[in-house]
Amino acid sequence: MEAVLTVVALIFVLCLVLGVYATVKVVGAAKRGVDRTIDQARRTVEDHTLRAKSFGRPGPAGELAQLRLTLRTSMRATQDALHAGAREDESLKESVALFERLSTHGRELDAELRRLEAEPDRATLAERLPGLRERTRRITQSADSLRWAARDRARRFADDDLDTLSAQIDVEAGALRHWTRTEEPPAASDAGSASRSASGSAAALPSWPEAPAGEAEGQTWPDAQGEAPKGGQRQAPPDEPVRPAITPPGNRPVYPWQKKPRPESTT
């Protein structure tokens, strides 16, 4: 029983700790959200105020307001671009560190410009304006350089990814149209099929054996009109002498013991 109570007590304490932790996290997130909203609202109000002063107050006071507005706009745009790119590109962390160092100089200049807005001595303010203008130009130029470099890098990566994607799509499209590579023109295919059928027919028919040399020389073929030579005899080649069909009898020797031949009767 005591073990069960101990386990229940531990579970209750664990749930209580988790509840407190979740409450702290939620309150912290809400506080950060409220602070972010307040800062954004304050920046918006200050920007509109500076814009109104730059147009409504001529002279050194209006120029100071214009310098502050230019500085704040450039620094804020660079900060947003670098922080957005650093989440996707780890190599921008060094650029973010450099921008933090530049932001220190920018905040010091903005604070100085804010103090000079309430300066009653206009002559002293006019003397210091060229130096303030030069510092503002250098800081904004550096911020703009970082911002455009980060944007060019992101666009370069996007272009490379688009080129790779286009090449892969072209390969896939060619693979989907695989039948266009195997098809041949109609004329070429007909000629190829005809040659293949002719060669197949020639290969299918048996070949006649060659006649021996002697028979080939003495073989008699029909003449141009399709008639064979009369008598069924072979025609001798023109170069050989003509032989008689039957050899005539020659003089035979007569022996004493042979009887004399009788003359044939004419009756």
Side-chain angles (χ1 to χ4, degrees), residues 157-173:
F157 286 162
D159 292 342
D160 294 342
D161 184 60
L162 181 59
D163 293 340
T164 304
L165 181 60
S166 299
Q168 293 177 356
I169 291 175
D170 292 340
V171 172
E172 183 65 20

Side-chain angles (χ1 to χ4, degrees), residues 4-267:
V4 175
L5 293 177
T6 304
V7 172
V8 173
L10 289 176
I11 295 175
F12 177 76
V13 172
L14 182 60
C15 292
L16 182 61
V17 171
L18 290 176
V20 172
Y21 177 77
T23 302
V24 171
K25 296 295 289 183
V26 170
V27 172
K31 184 176 182 300
R32 287 193 298 271
V34 171
D35 294 340
R36 190 182 304 110
T37 303
I38 292 175
D39 292 340
Q40 185 176 1
R42 185 172 61 252
R43 287 196 302 267
T44 303
V45 172
E46 289 180 357
D47 290 344
H48 286 288
T49 303
L50 291 174
R51 190 174 289 106
K53 288 182 179 179
S54 62
F55 289 105
R57 297 175 61 181
E63 190 171 355
L64 289 176
Q66 183 64 37
L67 291 177
R68 286 191 63 193
L69 182 62
T70 302
L71 178 64
R72 291 163 64 91
T73 303
S74 177
M75 297 297 288
R76 188 180 303 114
T78 304
Q79 181 180 2
D80 295 341
L82 290 179
H83 288 173
R87 289 192 293 267
E88 301 177 357
D89 190 0
E90 296 293 334
S91 61
L92 290 180
K93 290 184 177 179
E94 185 176 356
S95 300
V96 174
L98 292 175
F99 177 74
E100 293 298 333
R101 295 174 56 185
L102 182 65
S103 297
T104 303
H105 295 277
R107 283 189 288 268
E108 291 177 357
L109 178 60
D110 185 68
E112 184 176 359
L113 292 174
R114 186 186 299 110
R115 290 193 301 268
L116 290 175
E117 286 180 356
E119 178 65 33
D121 190 357
R122 301 300 177 182
T124 304
L125 185 59
E127 292 177 359
R128 299 188 60 180
L129 272 178
L132 297 173
R133 192 183 300 113
E134 179 63 21
R135 287 177 59 188
T136 304
R137 186 192 64 80
R138 293 178 59 185
I139 293 175
T140 55
Q141 184 177 2
S142 299
D144 294 342
S145 179
L146 281 176
R147 182 175 70 255
W148 284 110
R151 290 177 177 176
D152 292 342
R153 181 181 179 85
R155 186 174 64 253
R156 178 66 178 180
F157 286 162
D159 292 342
D160 294 342
D161 184 60
L162 181 59
D163 293 340
T164 304
L165 181 60
S166 299
Q168 293 177 356
I169 291 175
D170 292 340
V171 172
E172 183 65 20
L176 293 176
R177 296 190 183 96
H178 60 88
W179 65 86
T180 58
R181 300 181 181 179
T182 57
E183 288 183 354
E184 297 179 356
S189 60
D190 295 343
S193 61
S195 61
R196 285 194 297 269
S197 61
S199 61
S201 302
L205 293 176
S207 60
W208 291 93
E210 296 181 359
E215 295 182 2
E217 293 178 356
Q219 186 176 2
T220 302
W221 297 95
D223 55 2
Q225 298 178 357
E227 297 179 357
K230 297 181 180 179
Q233 297 180 356
R234 299 176 180 176
Q235 295 180 358
D239 296 339
E240 296 181 0
V242 179
R243 296 179 183 179
I246 300 176
T247 303
N251 297 325
R252 298 181 180 180
V254 178
Y255 298 96
W257 60 83
Q258 292 181 348
K259 293 182 180 182
K260 295 182 179 179
R262 293 179 182 182
E264 296 180 358
S265 176
T266 58
T267 61

